[in-house]
């Protein structure tokens, strides 16, 4: 679509036909691409969500990353290394998607570091034993898959396409977590206790990953109308519970919710209510590890200054060399 048209008037400053074209593209379930006209609110919402998602992947490297040096075998170390590296890749991929909307990656990082942009609440909880690595794979990557598979059909092309690749890797991550836990459950009573303890600590925070309940989710209605989000927070949370309960049974662990039971009539599980005050506290910066996570991120950014400067200088030299070559 032509984005170079001038004298914008009408909704969101657009000529009515530009808005109409955008609305039609969304209604037909087609994709909006970077050069298409889009309402400013749509662009801002996408930058907000994609940036938060990217920040979550980068901060999300920390809880498991802490176990790389303490992994119980070379095999587990190699697997964990690869997983954490994948998370870095997802973050960079998502920052690139945000850049297609005119955002600047350095600016997004500044916003995160200054606490002006969010990252997922889940990464503010500590990883106390190696079983936590398995439970993060099973629950956190499992929740990420539930949330992100529908995002492969998100209306913004670059985000949807990024999700396809990311989901493939998340699927491998989830299976490695479950396999790790299966191995521990076949081990000693102490190992089985470690798994159950990790399950108890991560269950409720994992349910909170899907966001506040629908009636307290200010962004959902508009994001669903724009088909950025395809399902509501509660709907995806329910899916996650339905998917996870049989896996817990097979593994031999108990999910820490006395209200959890199959509802024959609805064809879904009933379950308890997460502590929404806790979610709000963690989002506002008052979770068990918020300060530690941000401090680590700030330090990594500062320590990486020389790398960014060297890369920029190298790119400038390369460009100058290419210009010279073109002249000769
Ligand atoms: C569903 C939601 C997260 C929130 O729905 P929305 O419609 O956007 O918002 P809504 O109106 O419902 O909420 C009101 C306010 O509350 C905020 N908030 C809500 N929930 C949270 C929360 N849990 N944590 C923190 N903040 C939260 C929300 O931003 C909003 O604040 P704002 O108005 O911005 O100031 C959506 O953005 C989404 O699907 N994102 C994409 C997926 C994504 O980012 N995934 C990340 C995990 S990646 C991963 O796990 C991979 C991995 C695995 C293992 C290891 C390492 C990596």
């Amino acid at each position: 679509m032509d984005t170079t048209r001038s004298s914008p008037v009408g909704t969101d400053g657009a000529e009515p036909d530009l808005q109409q074209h955008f609305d039609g593209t969304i209604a037909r379930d087609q994709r909006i691409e970077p050069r298409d006209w889009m309402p400013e609110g749509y662009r801002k919402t996408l930058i907000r969500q994609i940036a938060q998602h990217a920040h979550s992947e980068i901060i999300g490297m920390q809880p498991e990353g802490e176990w790389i040096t303490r992994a119980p075998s070379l095999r587990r170390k190699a697997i964990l290394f690869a997983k954490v590296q994948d998370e870095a890749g997802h973050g960079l991929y998502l920052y690139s998607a945000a850049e297609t909307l005119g955002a600047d990656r350095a600016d997004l990082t500044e916003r995160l570091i200054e606490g002006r942009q969010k990252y997922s609440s889940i990464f503010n909880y500590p990883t106390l034993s190696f079983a936590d690595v398995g439970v993060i794979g099973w629950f956190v990557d499992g929740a990420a898959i539930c949330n992100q598979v529908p995002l492969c059909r998100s209306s913004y092309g670059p985000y949807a396409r990024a999700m396809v690749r990311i989901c493939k890797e998340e699927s491998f991550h989830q299976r490695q977590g479950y396999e790790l836990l299966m191995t521990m459950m076949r081990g000693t009573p102490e190992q089985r206790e470690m798994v159950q303890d990790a399950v108890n600590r991560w269950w409720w925070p994992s349910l909170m990953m899907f966001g506040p309940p629908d009636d307290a989710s200010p962004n959902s209605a508009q994001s669903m109308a724009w088909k950025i989000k395809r399902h509501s927070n509660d709907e995806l949370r329910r899916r996650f519970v339905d998917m996870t309960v049989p896996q817990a049974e097979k593994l031999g662990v108990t999910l820490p919710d006395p209200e959890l039971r199959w509802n024959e009539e609805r064809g879904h599980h009933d379950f308890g209510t997460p502590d929404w005050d806790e979610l709000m506290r963690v989002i506002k910066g008052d979770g068990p590890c918020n300060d530690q996570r941000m401090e680590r991120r700030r330090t990594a950014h500062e320590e990486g200054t020389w790398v960014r400067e060297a890369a920029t200088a190298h790119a400038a030299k390369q460009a100058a060399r290419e210009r010279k070559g073109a002249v000769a």
Side-chain angles (χ1 to χ4, degrees):
M1 172 178 190
D2 182 8
T3 51
T4 56
R5 309 177 63 163
S6 55
S7 48
V9 287
T11 321
D12 205 12
E15 281 180 30
D17 62 333
L18 290 177
Q19 179 75 46
Q20 244 173 36
H21 190 281
F22 172 86
D23 292 344
T25 306
I26 299 284
R28 286 190 301 276
D29 261 344
Q30 289 172 342
R31 297 271 163 79
I32 304 294
E33 295 298 338
R35 294 176 65 185
D36 291 342
W37 181 89
M38 60 186 84
E40 205 38 40
Y42 179 82
R43 183 189 302 276
K44 280 192 179 145
T45 297
L46 275 165
I47 292 177
R48 175 184 67 80
Q49 177 164 329
I50 298 173
Q52 284 181 13
H53 197 164
H55 299 328
S56 302
E57 297 280 359
I58 299 295
I59 298 270
M61 295 164 71
Q62 293 185 38
E64 291 161 286
E66 287 175 8
W67 281 92
I68 291 174
T69 54
R70 294 176 288 166
S73 69
L74 183 59
R75 178 170 173 266
R76 293 289 170 200
K77 193 194 284 276
I79 293 171
L80 188 52
F81 232 134
K83 180 180 191 287
V84 172
Q85 204 170 351
D86 283 351
E87 284 151 10
H90 297 172
L92 300 182
Y93 214 43
L94 285 160
Y95 284 128
S96 297
E99 283 180 328
T100 66
L101 292 153
D104 175 68
R105 187 182 301 216
D107 175 57
L108 297 179
T109 303
E110 282 303 317
R111 283 169 191 260
L112 169 69
I113 283 173
E114 288 166 10
R116 289 188 286 135
Q117 273 181 349
K118 299 185 169 79
Y119 60 92
S120 180
S121 52
I122 192 72
F123 303 116
N124 292 306
Y125 292 85
T127 40
L128 303 182
S129 82
F130 198 70
D132 290 37
V133 171
V135 171
I136 288 178
W138 178 30
F139 284 172
V140 178
D141 286 282
I145 291 166
C146 268
N147 171 270
Q148 288 167 203
V149 165
L151 291 175
C152 297
R153 292 185 298 112
S154 182
S155 58
Y156 186 58
Y159 190 35
R161 288 189 288 276
M163 283 300 114
V164 173
R165 176 161 171 193
I166 289 175
C167 282
K168 283 186 186 158
E169 293 185 353
E170 303 289 28
S171 164
F172 155 73
H173 292 172
Q174 193 211 14
R175 274 180 273 171
Q176 73 76 35
Y178 197 69
E179 188 268 343
L180 191 166
L181 297 175
M182 277 286 194
T183 307
M184 288 187 79
M185 290 302 282
R186 285 195 296 267
T188 63
E190 287 80 6
Q191 284 175 310
R192 282 193 283 281
E193 259 171 48
M194 279 164 73
V195 175
Q196 184 61 57
D197 174 60
V199 164
N200 294 347
R201 285 182 288 105
W202 287 91
W203 175 248
W204 292 108
S206 299
L207 293 191
M208 293 175 200
M209 277 178 76
F210 295 92
D214 292 350
D215 56 9
S217 164
N219 300 302
S220 276
Q222 183 60 75
S223 286
M224 285 175 71
W226 276 328
K227 296 184 182 168
I228 294 173
K229 279 168 88 161
R230 292 289 185 153
H231 303 280
S232 77
N233 298 355
D234 285 334
E235 208 179 327
L236 293 173
R237 199 173 355 258
R238 276 196 295 274
R239 264 191 206 185
F240 174 71
V241 173
D242 283 342
M243 176 182 101
T244 310
V245 170
Q247 295 170 350
E249 279 163 12
K250 185 147 179 46
L251 191 60
V253 294
T254 308
L255 297 173
D257 178 358
E259 293 175 49
L260 187 62
R261 63 182 59 85
W262 178 249
N263 183 323
E264 193 62 54
E265 217 170 281
R266 292 194 310 111
H268 293 287
H269 290 87
D270 291 333
F271 56 97
T273 308
D275 181 347
W276 298 126
D277 292 340
E278 176 179 323
L279 174 64
M280 288 308 140
R281 276 199 308 277
V282 176
I283 291 180
K284 286 190 182 132
D286 195 17
C289 300
N290 294 60
D291 292 345
Q292 183 186 329
R293 301 291 184 239
M294 286 308 293
E295 182 53 36
R296 182 79 204 93
R297 183 68 195 88
R298 250 180 240 118
T299 309
H301 188 61
E302 280 160 20
E303 287 176 353
T305 306
W306 71 269
V307 180
R308 291 190 296 279
E309 284 172 359
T312 309
H314 178 71
K317 264 191 200 164
Q318 194 99 340
R321 222 173 285 142
E322 271 163 27
R323 271 200 305 276
K324 242 188 198 170
V327 170

